[in-house]
Amino acid sequence: MEIFSIEKVLTLESIAQVLGDPSKRTVIRKLDALKCRASYSHAGKYYTLDAFADYNEYGLWSFKEIIHFSKHGTLLRTILYLISHSEEGYFASELRDLLKVRVHNALAKLHSSKHVAREQIGGEYLYLSPVLQAWQLERRYH
């Protein structure tokens, strides 16, 4: 889609306009074929091509420091990936600083669905992989 050579990040609405206003389903299908990535910030409102994203070691990329993308997908999937692949787990504040978005609701949802474990340490929760929890705690404190 040539429009991405002009603008690196677009909304679904702007892409639909360029395509002649087809249905949302048609636009999504075309984006999937192009290997487009939805932002994890802004409720997935923005799209880019993976080819334009300069992902860091965590699989994260920010456009103009305000629109955030992850090669792991949504905010929930990204948080789950980060915690599951961490040696020491993450405090909510660490995830917030890393992801540059509010993470409280996503963490609560992951915890209530038992996708992540947590330990209260001081006044903050440390989020851990249920499978690696003991190892992650040991790594963090020894």
Side-chain angles (χ1 to χ4, degrees):
M1 201 176 297
E2 293 173 21
I3 184 90
F4 279 109
S5 63
I6 298 165
E7 295 289 332
K8 304 278 187 251
V9 174
L10 298 163
T11 64
L12 200 60
E13 293 78 21
S14 61
I15 295 166
Q17 272 186 327
V18 169
L19 294 174
D21 287 321
S23 71
K24 184 176 181 179
R25 184 179 302 169
T26 299
V27 174
I28 298 282
R29 197 167 37 248
K30 287 186 182 281
L31 291 174
D32 286 345
L34 291 171
K35 298 192 179 182
C36 274
R37 178 88 49 199
S39 61
Y40 69 78
S41 65
H42 301 85
K45 178 180 178 179
Y46 296 97
Y47 292 82
T48 193
L49 295 176
D50 264 348
F52 294 135
D54 184 20
Y55 294 112
N56 65 18
E57 68 269 23
Y58 299 101
L60 307 174
W61 175 65
S62 295
F63 179 74
K64 296 186 178 181
E65 296 301 316
I66 56 170
I67 303 170
H68 309 291
F69 296 87
S70 168
K71 64 169 55 171
H72 312 295
T74 65
L75 181 60
L76 285 172
R77 287 184 183 152
T78 298
I79 290 172
L80 186 57
Y81 176 87
L82 291 171
I83 291 170
S84 298
H85 289 82
S86 166
E87 290 188 6
E88 300 179 344
Y90 282 97
F91 284 106
S93 60
E94 293 171 330
L95 286 166
R96 183 190 65 236
D97 293 346
L98 178 63
L99 296 167
K100 301 176 185 166
V101 296
R102 192 166 179 256
V103 296
H104 177 76
N105 292 343
L107 287 168
K109 187 173 188 175
L110 288 168
H111 180 257
S112 69
S113 64
K114 307 222 183 301
H115 285 94
V116 299
R118 69 182 185 190
E119 292 280 331
Q120 187 166 7
I121 299 172
E124 195 171 8
Y125 285 113
L126 178 65
Y127 290 88
L128 306 154
S129 163
V131 176
L132 304 173
Q133 183 174 358
W135 180 77
Q136 287 173 326
L137 277 169
E138 184 179 320
R139 298 281 302 180
R140 183 167 282 265
Y141 292 106
H142 292 98

